[in-house]
Amino acid sequence: MPGRDHGPQIKNDALYEKLRGDGASKEKAARIANAREAGTLDHKGRLDSRSKQDLYDEAREIGIEGRSKMDKEALIDAIRHH
């Protein structure tokens, strides 16, 4: 049910519903949705400190298209949003 309000305990209803639709448990979907809303889900330092080659290798492993034309920032963004 898109747009459903799951109450005050779920901080990002749309993400929660997407995760549930993808098969995540209620608890896992709630943790991820709330962490994303609080800004604690993305661990920026972990990717920023890695080399471009390392990021490229990870992008290849997870199947990101167009990675050969990406700079380091674009690789980081693509990995984070994959």
Side-chain angles (χ1 to χ4, degrees):
M1 295 180 180
R4 182 170 174 221
D5 182 10
H6 298 283
Q9 70 276 14
I10 305 298
K11 306 303 181 202
N12 186 328
D13 289 314
L15 179 57
Y16 175 83
E17 287 186 24
K18 179 190 177 310
L19 292 166
R20 290 289 293 143
D22 290 344
S25 70
K26 290 179 181 179
E27 293 81 11
K28 182 176 181 180
R31 277 194 315 271
I32 293 170
N34 291 342
R36 171 73 49 88
E37 196 66 21
T40 59
L41 186 61
D42 292 329
H43 302 286
K44 296 181 178 166
R46 292 184 183 166
L47 290 177
D48 290 337
S49 64
R50 293 166 59 186
S51 71
K52 181 181 177 187
Q53 184 61 49
D54 188 38
L55 295 167
Y56 177 86
D57 292 342
E58 182 172 342
R60 184 181 66 232
E61 286 179 29
I62 60 179
I64 294 175
E65 298 291 325
R67 64 188 171 269
S68 64
K69 294 182 173 116
M70 293 181 185
D71 62 10
K72 183 176 178 177
E73 291 304 314
L75 286 166
I76 290 170
D77 188 54
I79 291 168
R80 281 191 181 134
H81 296 100
H82 178 16

